[in-house]
Amino acid sequence: MRLSIGDMARASGTTVKRLRHYHDKGVFMAAHTDPATGHRWYEPAQVADAMLVAQLRRAGVPLAEISGIVAATTHRRDAAIRAALAAVDAELASARERLVGTAALLQAVPEVSYAVRRVPEQWVVSTAARLSREECATWFDRSFTDLIGRVGIPWGPLGATYSTEFFTDDHGTVTAFVPVAAGTPGAESLPGGTFAVAVHDGAYTHFDLTYAGLGRAVGRDLTSVSDETVRELYLVGPGHSDDPATWRSEVWWPVLQDSVPLDPCAHAGASTTTGRATGVDHLTERP
């Protein structure tokens, strides 16, 4: 005996439209397709898999992962399901964090303290890839581990640059870099420049609030250089602490040097100001 696609929909708690979609995507295939009519037929033993697919989709598991779970042996299926649901739980936690940040923005864009820094070129080893925001965390873990394995102890905080396309198109070139001594094999020059720098404390899920505040301040006080890469420095991060509350990063927004107001009362080494820059922080290259 076989089940029609309508009967399978009733039995599994899903819809005919979804069953057709799962078949077309290769996630859950009908056992038989009539070559003359195109009608799809299912074996009764497939009801359990159809229910599994429906439940996993309702839980938010992507179709690509569901395909692997359905194809897995019974022994490996339980582990695959647990891993997929754990990933969904992590994404939900991240989404809750983002919603908290969005709720804060309903009140006002936060006021962000910043300093202006003029920095010389720096020697680094680096690796680059074209990424989306969602791909960055895993890629950074792998890339920084590889770079540090090549050069040993870094000469300064780990960092990254982000191309303009990363922000405008949701995908763009991201470069992870590790500072090194001049003459290190494979080292290259990271260009210097003038940057508005803001400190971000805590988990990376609220980075958008720091960006929003810094971007508003730059637009108000300075002139942005939109075709240069934004930088981030990770002063304290996952490699130092498992507690995101202790993490500290810096966002470096490129600005036009001629737009920086000079305060006669400012002193070299001023690193943070409230609301607008009152001086310039002149950094020197590490010998």
Side-chain angles (χ1 to χ4, degrees):
M1 298 292 291
R2 297 175 181 172
L3 296 174
S4 69
I5 192 170
D7 290 334
M8 178 58 80
R10 289 195 196 95
S12 62
T14 188
T15 66
V16 169
K17 181 178 179 180
R18 289 197 179 100
L19 286 171
R20 287 176 177 153
H21 181 63
Y22 299 154
H23 180 97
D24 293 341
K25 293 295 184 180
V27 174
F28 177 68
M29 307 288 290
H32 306 279
T33 301
D34 189 314
T37 64
H39 292 168
R40 295 166 184 173
W41 299 89
Y42 297 82
E43 298 293 342
Q46 290 184 277
V47 171
D49 281 350
M51 292 181 64
L52 175 63
V53 172
Q55 293 294 339
L56 289 173
R57 284 301 292 147
R58 293 189 187 105
V61 179
L63 279 179
E65 294 185 27
I66 293 176
S67 178
I69 292 171
V70 173
T73 62
T74 302
H75 177 70
R76 299 182 59 185
R77 182 175 286 189
D78 287 347
I81 291 173
R82 285 195 295 271
L85 293 179
V88 171
D89 285 341
E91 177 57 31
L92 287 174
S94 178
R96 282 192 290 270
E97 291 286 340
R98 292 193 293 270
L99 284 174
V100 169
T102 302
L105 285 175
L106 293 176
Q107 303 298 321
V109 173
E111 192 72 24
V112 171
S113 299
Y114 72 93
V116 175
R117 293 183 182 173
R118 295 174 182 162
V119 298
E121 67 176 2
Q122 183 181 26
W123 289 103
V124 301
V125 292
S126 68
T127 185
R130 184 172 174 80
L131 304 170
S132 67
R133 294 174 187 269
E134 292 73 23
E135 295 169 318
C136 284
T138 300
W139 182 80
F140 275 135
D141 287 343
R142 182 174 64 251
S143 298
F144 282 133
T145 298
D146 177 64
L147 290 172
I148 293 173
R150 287 164 47 191
V151 301
I153 299 175
W155 271 47
L158 309 182
T161 67
Y162 297 84
S163 66
T164 300
E165 292 74 22
F166 180 82
F167 300 100
T168 59
D169 301 339
D170 285 333
H171 281 78
T173 300
V174 179
T175 302
F177 65 83
V178 174
V180 296
T184 299
E188 57 190 306
S189 174
L190 182 66
T194 303
F195 300 86
V197 181
V199 173
H200 173 82
D201 286 318
Y204 301 141
T205 49
H206 295 319
F207 242 139
D208 55 344
L209 297 179
T210 302
Y211 269 89
L214 180 59
R216 184 180 66 172
V218 167
R220 179 190 64 207
D221 303 336
L222 304 163
T223 301
S224 176
V225 182
S226 58
D227 59 348
E228 291 190 11
T229 58
V230 170
R231 299 182 190 179
E232 292 176 1
L233 290 189
Y234 310 113
L235 310 181
V236 180
H240 304 91
S241 170
D242 293 330
D243 182 5
T246 66
W247 298 351
R248 168 163 283 204
S249 311
E250 290 182 343
V251 180
W252 291 32
W253 191 300
V255 297
L256 190 65
Q257 180 172 330
D258 291 345
S259 70
V260 179
L262 296 179
D263 186 334
C265 298
H267 60 278
S271 58
T272 307
T273 61
T274 302
R276 63 180 64 241
T278 60
V280 178
D281 184 5
H282 298 274
L283 299 187
T284 57
E285 185 178 20
R286 184 172 179 175

